[in-house]
Amino acid sequence: MYRTNSCGELRISDVNKEVVLSGWVQRSRELGGMTFIDLRDRYGITQLVFDMETNKDLCLKARSLNREYVIQVKGKVAERSNKNLNIPTGEIEIIVTELNILNASEIPPFTIISDTDGGDELRMKYRYLDLRREPLKNNIILRHRMSQETRKYLDNQGFLEIETPVLIKSTPEGARDFVVPSRMNPGEFYALPQSPQTFKQILMVAGYDKYFQIVKCFRDEDLRADRQPEFTQIDCEMSFVTQDDILNTFEGLIRHLFKTVKGIEFPGIFERMPYQEALEHYGCDKPDLRFGMKITELTATAKGKGFTIFDNAGYIGGICAKGCGEYSRKQLDELTEFVKKPQIGAKGLIYVKLQDDGTIKSSVDKFYAAEDLLRWAGQCHAEKGDLLLILSGEKYHTLNALNELRLEMGNRLGLRDKNIYKPLWVVDFPLLEWDEETQRFYAKHHPFTSPKPEDTDKLDTNPGEVRANAYDLVINGVEIGGGSIRIHNKELQQTMFKVLGFTAEEAERQFGFLMNAFRYGAPPHGGIAFGLDRLVSIFAGLDSIRDVIAFPKNNTGRDMMIDTPSVISQEQLKELSLKIEPNPKS
Amino acid sequence: MYRTNSCGELRISDVNKEVVLSGWVQRSRELGGMTFIDLRDRYGITQLVFDMETNKDLCLKARSLNREYVIQVKGKVAERSNKNLNIPTGEIEIIVTELNILNASEIPPFTIISDTDGGDELRMKYRYLDLRREPLKNNIILRHRMSQETRKYLDNQGFLEIETPVLIKSTPEGARDFVVPSRMNPGEFYALPQSPQTFKQILMVAGYDKYFQIVKCFRDEDLRADRQPEFTQIDCEMSFVTQDDILNTFEGLIRHLFKTVKGIEFPGIFERMPYQEALEHYGCDKPDLRFGMKITELTATAKGKGFTIFDNAGYIGGICAKGCGEYSRKQLDELTEFVKKPQIGAKGLIYVKLQDDGTIKSSVDKFYAAEDLLRWAGQCHAEKGDLLLILSGEKYHTLNALNELRLEMGNRLGLRDKNIYKPLWVVDFPLLEWDEETQRFYAKHHPFTSPKPEDTDKLDTNPGEVRANAYDLVINGVEIGGGSIRIHNKELQQTMFKVLGFTAEEAERQFGFLMNAFRYGAPPHGGIAFGLDRLVSIFAGLDSIRDVIAFPKNNTGRDMMIDTPSVISQEQLKELSLKIEPNPKS
């Protein structure tokens, strides 16, 4: 037996017990004739004591240990004279009588402490050492807890977890697929699922009215800082439900997670905000509701007074930054630089300072009388001491820039507290989105989302105006889940593919199996999928998903620890009937 | 709201309640002026009643429905005069007042009943219809239940479920990998995991001393009848444990599953049988212990009496088939044909019949006196009325044939009852297996399995005799799980790779990350993995895993429903820097 107890378990009530512990040497220090070692495992740290006077050989052996050695000790639990009340085991220590070195360790390339000195690259390469650190360990445990509680809740609600295949069919709609060559079918490929979407719909047709799965999904995208080629979804689908049934069920899931994992309960139901309202008031479809600072449209009041920039703008809008009326030139310049960054793309920033002394100062006071500026202030609910920040231009472009500016001001004013959670359902998304570049409509959500019944007849006449029973769950400005009521009728699905520019043959080749299934009694159905990585990172108070994943890949999709992707043998390529042919352009 | 209740929910105590139900038309029949419809959903069947007299239009509408139509009805629960006590809802029916057709259905290509008329191909193609059938539905629910109970048990034992990557590195050891070309790294590939083996060991190095995962694994093998290219493992690993700790922990898991899912409790601990004993007594490493009929070696007593076949045999062994002493010529011929099948490969079968009248009849009574035959009978514990079946030849080849013969006799005698479960741990597997064809050792389990400490020094001198702390869990002759104590020392791992014929460079390139990890304090560890598909099929009393998988692939690795693998576009191939080059041999 390697141990009787873990390193996080023993308490003052265990004093005098004979115990065996195993773990890693966290640190070691000498004090007079005594040697103290902090022994670490997943469960905590326990102090070991060795005494030169009572057992010199043993103490010398203890002194020979380096950090991260794996050892086993036998000894007696004793009360500490110098208690450490910061850790649960801090009232006791182990008077060691036997020490067994289970494995040595070289000096790690970075220190295994919460605030490590290891850079990103080094931490990724030695992930097994990084994962020993307290913050990462807590993330992994949190993720486990959330997965288990998700299953518990859904199981209790009568959902069945059903595994869908990983080797499926490549379909060009949506993001790029990862593909898998089939050796047994030369020249043919499987694809890895971007989501189990069609399979879960098939399960609804098959009569499994409540399905879920915590499942890996795959997207071969050029990776941004916080994307991973493989990621995990809580994937769910229900039959015989309306949008309200789905929102209520999964609001219940999120409440259950917050309550059981973080001890947080939300009063009332989650706010539900139409997509259009989110755009107009927050400039985006995932508003951070931890703070107000809503966008106010000023087009009607600000136009036509001779200020050319505003007069030529399709839209003028502003936000009120409370208590920033005394912002300095430098601070305002910073904000102007911020909105002019290429990814935001505003031409400039107009401000109105409602200074503490009652005077008004604005970058446009040449063009507008004080009462004009006061009228804007009134519209924006600004008072003495506040700052109005105004942008203008094409409507949705400007709203987008105002969203960025609002979030920046939220950060500057400390209004985005990671310990506060504001969930929100955004509803009534448009069904389609026009793409200027390719001159065609794309599905805003995906091609299986149903138009709202009252909008269906606009599919032919005015597709851009058709709304969907589609919804996103947003927490603190982060989209953590989304879904929709689906099409369950073959003809409507065919129409949808047509609107999306599929020929009948393409639609049939790619999704014929689904439309076929709709011919044999498909029930009305809908669902949702949550990004587990994102959800865990929000619970952990992290901005990135990387450290809630045990073995993440870097921005070029590479696993630094196992050093892959990598070349395979000529033999393997031959078996797969493949040849590498570098693209001349790349 | 689509329904107030499911179709399996209403009872006599619900009489007079107004309810709304949704579901599929299972069948419909007319009786005088009445129409009865069985409405089906996942939860059961409820009888609907329509009456020409009270509501002609509604009744006519009901009569227009075909099988598998999806409908919604509103009505009142009433007591049935003609009760069906075979189903839980059989005491009530719904007097329907409103009928709403949610979706029509064409006539399905096979009938949705337990004993369907659909062939395998048709059922695979229309899997969504097949999955509506009661037996498949019960398998899917069983699988869900077993997955949830597995998680519950392991979570309670302090295990963490940790997701390991699906896009990993290709390593030629073991079965063939499925590979995934990397677009961002032209000419390089990921591989899909055959198991998370190295990652779970890395997690042990990282200090996560109890890990599990229910996880998809992949093998690109030529498929036999009951293999799937993707399959699911319950994958587990523990640190600071001995073999006994692991056997006890996971015997606990299996007990928990039998108890909670099937209500079966096993007295005492599971039998533990050394590999060599399993071979000698049952001719295989996965004995079916539902019946005895052990193999008895007769070499010493049967050799040297002038019967050339036995005299030239390295091994002679027999089994005793109780009560078969009166087997006919035809029956014995059938058995002879059976053992002579190429996949068994015996040259012939010797029998000794201990007939009911006390006489002995044998195919070798020319060569042996009655007392010789009686001595064999005694060794095999055969009595009057029994039949001895004897094979001879090379030892392990003959044992293997005796195993097949024993199982065949078990089937003939009805000794392999699907409702009886006999679990068994097979232990002390050899570490290595010599392959005549390639003239090298292969790892019997995998290259990470540790030799038994007392056998380690034989690694250089006599590798074939080294035993491992490796174990399999066998139930009713089916291997449902296996594992081992692992190597946790870099040097020993290097030695192992050398014994397996890896050059130091190959070992480093493929598994350098693991051996590197062992340099920084790797704890002693070991683990096990169970085949979930197999485990569920055993619980379901099925011989095949196909019908415990929602969307299985056929024997050529094809998903018949979505018709994949399939060709991908030239554009996709170009992006991946790949060209299809048919193998001239294929």
Side-chain angles (χ1 to χ4, degrees):
Chain A
M1 193 190 30
Y2 278 103
R3 55 183 173 184
T4 55
N5 296 84
S6 80
C7 295
E9 201 176 354
L10 297 167
R11 299 287 183 275
I12 192 85
S13 56
D14 297 305
V15 164
N16 284 325
K17 271 190 196 155
E18 288 286 346
V19 297
V20 181
L21 300 184
S22 288
W24 286 262
V25 173
Q26 174 72 24
R27 62 176 192 146
S28 155
R29 55 204 186 286
E30 291 171 27
L31 208 71
M34 313 288 281
T35 293
F36 297 93
I37 286 180
D38 284 350
L39 188 68
R40 186 196 71 228
D41 68 10
R42 183 184 126 197
Y43 308 91
I45 281 182
T46 297
Q47 178 164 294
L48 311 177
V49 192
F50 302 83
D51 187 345
M52 280 298 266
E53 210 146 292
T54 56
N55 192 336
K56 190 178 168 193
D57 287 349
L58 191 70
C59 194
L60 286 174
K61 192 172 178 186
R63 286 182 180 184
S64 77
L65 301 173
N66 286 324
R67 278 177 186 248
E68 303 305 322
Y69 267 51
V70 187
I71 62 170
Q72 180 192 41
V73 294
K74 204 166 167 176
K76 192 180 265 186
V77 183
E79 182 169 1
R80 267 164 84 163
S81 51
N82 189 7
K83 296 197 168 60
N84 175 355
L85 298 180
N86 296 321
I87 58 171
T89 61
E91 292 189 273
I92 58 97
E93 61 193 6
I94 311 295
I95 312 295
V96 177
T97 53
E98 241 184 270
L99 165 62
N100 183 8
I101 298 175
L102 298 175
N103 215 342
S105 173
E106 295 180 18
I107 305 296
F110 54 86
T111 324
I112 315 288
I113 50 172
S114 293
D115 285 318
T116 182
D117 48 357
D120 266 5
E121 290 251 329
L122 212 55
R123 289 177 49 213
M124 296 276 274
K125 178 162 181 203
Y126 295 91
R127 190 66 170 178
Y128 38 88
L129 299 179
D130 201 22
L131 283 166
R132 287 184 189 167
R133 297 190 307 113
E134 187 81 5
L136 256 78
K137 186 193 74 180
N138 291 340
N139 294 345
I140 299 296
I141 293 174
L142 173 67
R143 186 181 181 112
H144 164 77
R145 197 75 270 133
M146 290 178 71
S147 300
Q148 304 307 313
E149 289 297 339
T150 296
R151 290 195 165 93
K152 208 179 283 178
Y153 174 84
L154 293 173
D155 183 35
N156 281 338
Q157 297 280 324
F159 283 79
L160 296 176
E161 185 162 25
I162 304 175
E163 294 172 53
T164 54
V166 176
L167 298 172
I168 66 162
K169 187 171 184 158
S170 185
T171 54
E173 188 71 8
R176 237 184 245 101
D177 284 325
F178 281 107
V179 296
V180 180
S182 165
R183 180 181 53 86
M184 289 206 276
N185 304 273
E188 297 191 335
F189 291 77
Y190 302 98
L192 304 181
Q194 296 183 31
S195 96
Q197 183 62 35
T198 49
F199 283 94
K200 67 177 175 175
Q201 293 192 241
I202 287 283
L203 283 172
M204 295 305 109
V205 178
Y208 297 78
D209 61 343
K210 292 179 178 178
Y211 145 92
F212 84 102
Q213 193 182 188
I214 300 186
V215 62
K216 276 278 173 74
C217 301
F218 305 87
R219 275 181 207 167
D220 183 12
E221 288 176 334
D222 297 319
L223 300 173
R224 297 192 311 231
D226 207 25
R227 285 259 178 108
Q228 288 282 321
E230 53 179 298
F231 55 98
T232 305
Q233 275 188 195
I234 306 170
D235 190 54
C236 310
E237 196 81 2
M238 301 174 81
S239 293
F240 302 120
V241 287
T242 60
Q243 171 169 306
D244 263 6
D245 295 325
I246 294 181
L247 299 196
N248 292 338
T249 300
F250 293 98
E251 185 164 321
L253 168 62
I254 299 300
R255 282 174 189 282
H256 175 82
L257 290 176
F258 269 107
K259 189 173 166 188
T260 54
V261 176
K262 294 193 77 78
I264 294 173
E265 297 197 52
F266 295 98
I269 65 161
F270 293 177
E271 186 173 343
R272 296 178 186 185
M273 186 185 291
Y275 171 82
Q276 194 57 35
E277 186 183 325
L279 276 196
E280 307 265 354
H281 290 170
Y282 299 93
C284 71
D285 59 4
K286 43 183 186 213
D288 182 348
L289 295 192
R290 281 174 298 183
F291 65 110
M293 211 187 281
K294 277 198 205 179
I295 297 167
T296 304
E297 176 164 7
L298 301 170
T299 317
T301 32
K303 250 183 134 156
K305 304 276 176 162
F307 178 47
T308 325
I309 292 175
F310 279 5
D311 288 351
N312 292 336
Y315 173 92
I316 306 163
I319 56 174
C320 164
K322 285 279 165 204
C324 300
E326 298 292 334
Y327 253 35
S328 67
R329 175 94 237 158
K330 178 161 170 286
Q331 286 172 305
L332 291 166
D333 284 350
E334 279 169 12
L335 292 179
T336 305
E337 285 315 302
F338 176 83
V339 297
K340 285 166 91 173
K341 283 195 298 185
Q343 60 270 46
I344 298 177
K347 295 276 194 318
L349 174 68
I350 305 301
Y351 66 83
V352 180
K353 299 208 288 188
L354 305 175
Q355 296 176 121
D356 290 342
D357 62 4
T359 61
I360 298 179
K361 192 151 191 285
S362 168
S363 45
V364 291
D365 41 21
K366 272 197 282 221
F367 301 95
Y368 293 93
E371 59 259 37
D372 287 325
L373 303 180
L374 278 173
R375 192 173 309 127
W376 302 353
Q379 286 179 275
C380 297
H381 305 287
E383 298 166 323
K384 199 161 77 175
D386 293 349
L387 170 70
L388 290 194
L389 296 169
I390 302 169
L391 298 176
S392 65
E394 188 278 322
K395 180 172 178 180
Y396 291 103
H397 185 259
T398 305
L399 279 168
N400 178 55
L402 280 165
N403 164 49
E404 297 290 346
L405 182 60
R406 174 179 174 271
L407 294 177
E408 170 67 13
M409 290 310 297
N411 287 338
R412 283 175 178 245
L413 297 173
L415 301 174
R416 305 180 76 190
D417 183 342
K418 288 201 165 137
N419 296 307
I420 291 176
Y421 294 92
K422 290 288 183 190
L424 163 74
W425 288 108
V426 178
V427 297
D428 296 346
F429 274 82
L431 182 70
L432 302 162
E433 204 168 29
W434 179 256
D435 182 62
E436 277 300 329
E437 199 180 318
T438 53
Q439 289 284 307
R440 56 161 276 205
F441 280 109
Y442 281 86
K444 176 87 180 167
H445 188 208
H446 57 49
F448 313 106
T449 292
S450 179
K452 277 183 189 272
E454 62 268 33
D455 289 1
T456 305
D457 52 5
K458 285 193 241 169
L459 261 185
D460 291 329
T461 55
N462 199 346
E465 279 201 0
V466 176
R467 290 164 311 151
N469 279 325
Y471 31 82
D472 277 355
L473 183 66
V474 173
I475 299 179
N476 295 358
V478 178
E479 180 209 324
I480 59 147
S484 64
I485 298 295
R486 325 297 185 188
I487 297 168
H488 65 281
N489 170 288
K490 190 190 172 192
E491 286 69 37
L492 182 55
Q493 188 66 67
Q494 282 172 326
T495 305
M496 183 68 182
F497 282 128
K498 207 172 129 193
V499 171
L500 293 173
F502 284 63
T503 65
E505 293 70 33
E506 281 167 351
E508 180 58 31
R509 196 175 61 242
Q510 289 173 39
F511 299 107
F513 68 97
L514 184 65
M515 290 187 287
N516 254 336
F518 287 172
R519 289 160 53 200
Y520 297 100
H525 63 283
I528 194 164
F530 296 96
L532 179 64
D533 310 291
R534 188 72 55 203
L535 191 58
V536 178
S537 73
I538 286 235
F539 271 58
L542 296 171
D543 292 323
S544 157
I545 61 171
R546 193 178 282 183
D547 278 349
V548 301
I549 298 171
F551 301 102
K553 294 191 170 55
N554 76 5
N555 286 351
T556 62
R558 180 164 290 278
D559 183 319
M560 304 287 284
M561 183 182 76
I562 62 172
D563 190 22
T564 215
S566 48
V567 293
I568 59 174
S569 68
Q570 283 305 316
E571 188 52 41
Q572 275 174 294
L573 285 171
K574 201 170 154 191
E575 280 193 330
L576 297 170
S577 307
L578 287 181
K579 194 181 158 189
I580 304 216
E581 192 169 70
N583 193 327
K585 286 185 298 189
S586 72
Chain B
M1 193 191 29
Y2 278 102
R3 55 183 173 185
T4 55
N5 296 83
S6 80
C7 295
E9 200 176 355
L10 296 168
R11 299 287 182 276
I12 192 87
S13 56
D14 296 305
V15 163
N16 284 324
K17 271 190 197 156
E18 289 284 348
V19 297
V20 181
L21 301 184
S22 289
W24 286 261
V25 173
Q26 175 71 25
R27 61 175 192 146
S28 155
R29 56 203 186 285
E30 290 171 30
L31 208 71
M34 313 287 283
T35 294
F36 298 93
I37 286 179
D38 283 351
L39 189 68
R40 187 196 70 230
D41 66 12
R42 183 183 126 198
Y43 310 92
I45 282 183
T46 297
Q47 177 165 293
L48 312 178
V49 193
F50 301 84
D51 186 346
M52 281 299 267
E53 208 144 292
T54 56
N55 193 335
K56 190 178 169 195
D57 287 349
L58 190 69
C59 193
L60 287 174
K61 192 171 177 188
R63 287 182 179 185
S64 77
L65 302 173
N66 287 324
R67 277 176 186 249
E68 303 305 321
Y69 266 52
V70 188
I71 61 171
Q72 181 192 42
V73 294
K74 205 167 166 174
K76 193 181 267 189
V77 183
E79 183 169 359
R80 268 165 84 162
S81 51
N82 189 6
K83 295 195 171 62
N84 175 356
L85 298 179
N86 296 321
I87 59 171
T89 60
E91 292 190 272
I92 58 97
E93 60 193 6
I94 312 295
I95 313 293
V96 177
T97 53
E98 242 184 87
L99 165 62
N100 184 10
I101 298 174
L102 297 175
N103 215 342
S105 173
E106 297 181 17
I107 304 296
F110 53 86
T111 324
I112 315 287
I113 50 172
S114 294
D115 285 317
T116 181
D117 48 356
D120 266 5
E121 288 252 327
L122 212 55
R123 289 176 49 213
M124 295 277 273
K125 178 162 182 203
Y126 295 90
R127 189 68 171 176
Y128 38 90
L129 298 180
D130 201 22
L131 284 166
R132 286 184 190 167
R133 295 190 307 114
E134 186 82 4
L136 256 77
K137 186 192 75 180
N138 290 340
N139 294 346
I140 299 295
I141 293 175
L142 173 67
R143 187 182 180 112
H144 164 78
R145 196 74 272 133
M146 290 179 72
S147 300
Q148 304 308 312
E149 288 298 338
T150 296
R151 290 195 165 93
K152 208 179 283 178
Y153 174 84
L154 292 173
D155 183 36
N156 281 338
Q157 297 280 324
F159 283 78
L160 296 175
E161 185 162 26
I162 303 175
E163 295 172 53
T164 53
V166 176
L167 298 172
I168 67 163
K169 187 170 183 156
S170 184
T171 54
E173 188 70 9
R176 237 185 244 102
D177 285 324
F178 282 107
V179 297
V180 181
S182 166
R183 179 181 53 86
M184 290 206 274
N185 305 272
E188 296 191 335
F189 292 77
Y190 302 99
L192 303 182
Q194 296 182 31
S195 96
Q197 183 61 35
T198 49
F199 283 94
K200 68 177 174 175
Q201 292 192 243
I202 288 283
L203 284 172
M204 295 305 110
V205 178
Y208 296 77
D209 61 343
K210 292 178 178 178
Y211 145 91
F212 84 101
Q213 193 182 186
I214 300 184
V215 61
K216 276 278 173 74
C217 300
F218 306 86
R219 275 181 207 165
D220 184 12
E221 287 176 334
D222 297 319
L223 300 175
R224 298 192 310 231
D226 207 25
R227 286 259 178 108
Q228 288 282 322
E230 53 179 299
F231 55 98
T232 305
Q233 277 189 193
I234 305 171
D235 190 54
C236 310
E237 196 81 0
M238 300 174 82
S239 293
F240 302 120
V241 286
T242 60
Q243 172 170 306
D244 262 6
D245 295 325
I246 294 181
L247 299 197
N248 292 337
T249 301
F250 293 98
E251 186 165 321
L253 168 63
I254 299 299
R255 282 174 188 281
H256 175 83
L257 290 176
F258 269 106
K259 188 175 165 187
T260 54
V261 176
K262 292 193 80 76
I264 293 174
E265 297 197 51
F266 295 98
I269 65 161
F270 292 178
E271 187 174 343
R272 296 178 186 185
M273 187 185 291
Y275 171 83
Q276 194 57 34
E277 187 183 325
L279 277 196
E280 307 265 355
H281 290 169
Y282 299 93
C284 71
D285 60 4
K286 43 185 188 211
D288 182 348
L289 295 193
R290 282 174 298 184
F291 64 111
M293 214 187 283
K294 276 199 207 176
I295 297 167
T296 304
E297 176 164 7
L298 301 170
T299 318
T301 32
K303 250 183 134 157
K305 304 275 175 164
F307 178 48
T308 325
I309 292 175
F310 279 6
D311 288 352
N312 292 337
Y315 173 92
I316 306 162
I319 55 174
C320 165
K322 286 278 165 205
C324 300
E326 298 292 335
Y327 253 36
S328 66
R329 175 94 237 159
K330 179 162 169 283
Q331 286 172 304
L332 290 166
D333 284 349
E334 278 169 14
L335 292 179
T336 305
E337 286 313 304
F338 176 83
V339 297
K340 285 166 91 173
K341 285 195 298 186
Q343 59 270 43
I344 299 177
K347 295 274 193 321
L349 173 68
I350 304 301
Y351 67 85
V352 179
K353 300 206 286 186
L354 306 175
Q355 296 177 123
D356 290 342
D357 61 5
T359 61
I360 299 179
K361 194 155 191 276
S362 169
S363 44
V364 290
D365 41 23
K366 270 194 280 211
F367 301 95
Y368 294 91
E371 58 260 38
D372 287 324
L373 302 178
L374 278 172
R375 192 173 309 128
W376 304 351
Q379 285 178 278
C380 296
H381 305 286
E383 298 165 324
K384 200 162 74 175
D386 294 347
L387 171 70
L388 290 194
L389 297 169
I390 302 169
L391 299 175
S392 65
E394 189 277 322
K395 178 172 180 180
Y396 291 102
H397 185 257
T398 305
L399 280 169
N400 178 55
L402 280 165
N403 163 51
E404 298 291 346
L405 182 60
R406 175 180 175 270
L407 294 177
E408 170 67 14
M409 288 311 297
N411 287 337
R412 283 175 177 245
L413 297 173
L415 301 173
R416 305 180 75 190
D417 182 342
K418 287 199 167 139
N419 296 307
I420 291 176
Y421 293 92
K422 291 287 182 187
L424 163 74
W425 288 108
V426 178
V427 297
D428 297 345
F429 274 82
L431 182 69
L432 301 162
E433 205 167 28
W434 178 257
D435 183 60
E436 277 300 328
E437 198 181 318
T438 54
Q439 288 285 307
R440 56 162 278 204
F441 280 109
Y442 281 86
K444 176 87 181 166
H445 189 209
H446 56 49
F448 313 106
T449 292
S450 179
K452 278 184 188 271
E454 61 268 31
D455 288 1
T456 306
D457 51 6
K458 285 193 242 170
L459 261 185
D460 292 329
T461 55
N462 198 348
E465 279 201 0
V466 176
R467 289 164 310 150
N469 278 323
Y471 32 80
D472 276 357
L473 183 67
V474 173
I475 300 180
N476 295 358
V478 178
E479 180 210 323
I480 60 149
S484 64
I485 298 295
R486 326 297 185 189
I487 297 168
H488 65 282
N489 169 287
K490 191 189 171 192
E491 285 69 37
L492 182 55
Q493 188 66 67
Q494 281 172 326
T495 305
M496 183 69 182
F497 282 127
K498 207 172 128 194
V499 170
L500 293 173
F502 284 64
T503 65
E505 293 69 35
E506 281 167 352
E508 179 60 31
R509 195 175 63 242
Q510 290 174 37
F511 299 108
F513 68 97
L514 184 65
M515 289 187 287
N516 254 336
F518 286 173
R519 289 160 53 200
Y520 297 100
H525 62 283
I528 195 165
F530 296 96
L532 179 64
D533 310 293
R534 187 71 56 202
L535 192 57
V536 178
S537 73
I538 286 235
F539 272 58
L542 296 172
D543 292 321
S544 156
I545 61 172
R546 194 178 281 181
D547 277 350
V548 301
I549 298 171
F551 301 102
K553 295 190 171 57
N554 75 6
N555 286 350
T556 62
R558 180 163 292 278
D559 184 320
M560 304 286 285
M561 183 183 76
I562 62 173
D563 191 21
T564 215
S566 48
V567 293
I568 59 174
S569 68
Q570 282 305 318
E571 187 53 42
Q572 275 174 294
L573 284 171
K574 200 170 155 191
E575 280 192 329
L576 296 170
S577 308
L578 287 181
K579 194 180 159 191
I580 305 222
E581 192 169 70
N583 193 328
K585 286 185 299 186
S586 73

